[in-house]
Amino acid sequence: MRAIAYRQPGPIDRDEALVEVELPRPVPTGRDILVAVRAISVNPVDAKVRTGAAPLDGRDERILGWDAAGVVEAVGPEATRFKVGEEVFYAGDLMRDGSNAEYQLVDERIVGHRPRSIGFAEAAALPLTAITAWETLFDRLKVDDQPAGGARAVLIIGGAGGVGSAAIQIARARTDLTVIATASRAETGGWVRDLGAHHVIDHSRPMAPQIAALEIGAPAFVFSTTHTDRHLTDIAELIAPQGRFALIDDPASLDIVAFKRKAVSVHWELMFTRSLFDTPDVGEQGRLLDAVAELVDEGRIRTTASDTLSPINAANLIEAHRRIESTTTRGKIVLEGWDSPQA
């Protein structure tokens, strides 16, 4: 089978940053399913791993990719959730070969049934960001349990990115929260409004005065998707006493002393934690994706795919990585289709 991989970590603008390789088609065992990949999308984690992580287990190459939609080609002897021919979408496991290949093995417990109302490309944009947003809202921030004193509102910093775009929609579809999203450009501001944000503020300017000007009170929940270290002082000022704060990025340092006075709880979300540690509730991710698919098919969540490149090859994947690293994208970049029959 064909796959797109790297052999040495490093920047995207170098020779052989990502290359096409030929590998044996994997065979499913245990609860794995083998998926014929039809579409993939690219996330910041792809660029982060490619820049700094060597291939796994001493291998010559590493296959990235943590978003895919495809068709079940074969199932392991212990797999029960899916049958050959079913269409699926998933984000996969950080410590296994990724979705930048014609075929991929994935544990069935972290796989969902593809939404029927959208295509493979549109579905591939959703899994990683939807899981991250859902887990942050309901497992980390526990937004269904309102702290005393704060406004029933969530501030989503970086609302136009992939995770922010998913979080806005999930919050609107599954909660009664007032959703405040941040954006710094007219284009991204329009994007988050279209996704359902009740209010939009500019994260390039002090946010606390903008929140105060909304006259809705201090939000009980703040969800930071990017540049958390730049905004930390502002967040500590604007969040409600006894509020809850969650982040997903990787600041070089994070001094949270300013939260003590307000007894703010701090939560870090990583959607790979369940699969990394094979937690007893790892199957929640498959059920979560099925719930997301239902919301899509009901018209309550839409895909966050903003650009589709075709076919899936090294050149297009390199271009997608370049755009992701610019940190100016909105929504998700998707790649669809292989340029010849799969083998």
Side-chain angles (χ1 to χ4, degrees):
M1 71 169 185
R2 286 171 301 171
I4 303 165
Y6 70 91
R7 296 189 173 96
Q8 296 291 332
I12 197 64
D13 292 317
R14 63 188 176 93
D15 292 340
E16 299 191 336
L18 293 170
V19 296
E20 296 184 25
V21 298
E22 286 287 336
L23 298 170
R25 185 190 300 188
V27 176
T29 59
R31 297 195 67 172
D32 280 348
I33 59 175
L34 179 68
V35 178
V37 175
R38 298 287 183 84
I40 60 175
S41 70
V42 182
N43 295 282
V45 65
D46 295 69
K48 188 181 302 181
V49 173
R50 189 210 72 243
T51 301
L56 297 169
D57 303 323
R59 290 171 48 180
D60 292 333
E61 67 282 310
R62 182 163 186 177
I63 303 170
L64 301 171
W66 291 286
D67 261 334
V71 180
V72 178
E73 181 80 10
V75 300
E78 299 173 24
T80 59
R81 271 177 54 81
F82 299 98
K83 298 177 181 178
V84 172
E86 288 192 280
E87 297 174 358
V88 296
F89 72 146
Y90 55 90
D93 184 330
L94 189 63
M95 300 307 295
R96 302 184 70 177
D97 282 342
S99 55
N100 297 346
E102 290 181 293
Y103 295 93
Q104 182 185 8
L105 289 177
V106 61
D107 187 320
E108 66 167 1
R109 294 175 295 174
I110 57 175
V111 176
H113 296 82
R114 182 178 73 83
R116 306 302 302 173
S117 59
I118 59 176
F120 286 101
E122 293 80 7
L126 290 170
L128 184 145
T129 55
I131 294 170
T132 300
W134 190 294
E135 290 185 348
T136 301
L137 291 169
F138 300 111
D139 297 337
R140 313 296 169 233
L141 292 175
K142 298 187 183 299
V143 297
D144 291 332
D145 176 20
Q146 176 73 15
R152 183 136 183 82
V154 59
L155 170 64
I156 300 170
I157 298 171
V163 173
S165 296
I168 291 167
Q169 296 187 83
I170 292 170
R172 288 300 311 269
R174 293 284 302 228
T175 79
D176 61 352
L177 290 164
T178 296
V179 178
I180 310 161
T182 79
S184 60
R185 294 178 285 132
E187 177 191 19
T188 51
W191 172 266
V192 298
R193 285 188 182 92
D194 287 346
L195 292 174
H198 294 98
H199 304 283
V200 182
I201 67 172
D202 184 350
H203 54 245
S204 70
R205 300 187 290 115
M207 292 185 289
Q210 297 178 73
I211 292 291
L214 297 177
E215 298 184 343
I216 62 173
F221 309 102
V222 176
F223 179 3
S224 179
T225 70
T226 186
H227 299 310
T228 297
D229 49 347
R230 299 183 192 175
H231 304 303
L232 206 61
T233 300
D234 219 6
I235 294 166
E237 181 180 350
L238 66 85
I239 196 170
Q242 302 184 90
R244 302 190 191 114
F245 168 63
L247 69 155
I248 61 170
D249 58 329
D250 300 299
S253 63
L254 194 70
D255 184 352
I256 61 172
V257 171
F259 289 134
K260 181 178 181 179
R261 183 168 175 266
K262 289 184 175 179
V264 170
S265 59
V266 179
H267 307 266
W268 226 312
E269 159 65 13
L270 179 67
M271 62 132 291
F272 296 113
T273 295
R274 282 172 160 146
S275 56
L276 275 171
F277 295 96
D278 193 22
T279 60
D281 63 348
V282 66
E284 287 301 312
Q285 290 195 341
R287 289 185 283 272
L288 180 166
L289 287 173
D290 282 347
V292 168
E294 289 180 12
L295 291 172
V296 172
D297 289 338
E298 291 168 2
R300 301 174 70 191
I301 289 179
R302 75 187 201 204
T303 182
T304 55
S306 57
D307 197 5
T308 301
L309 306 177
S310 184
I312 303 171
N313 61 24
N316 281 333
L317 196 55
I318 286 170
E319 173 61 19
H321 276 238
R322 286 196 182 106
R323 295 188 196 179
I324 286 291
E325 290 181 346
S326 76
T327 70
T328 61
T329 57
R330 60 178 176 82
K332 296 291 290 293
I333 301 170
V334 177
L335 283 72
E336 182 178 25
W338 298 87
D339 56 8
S340 64
Q342 295 176 328

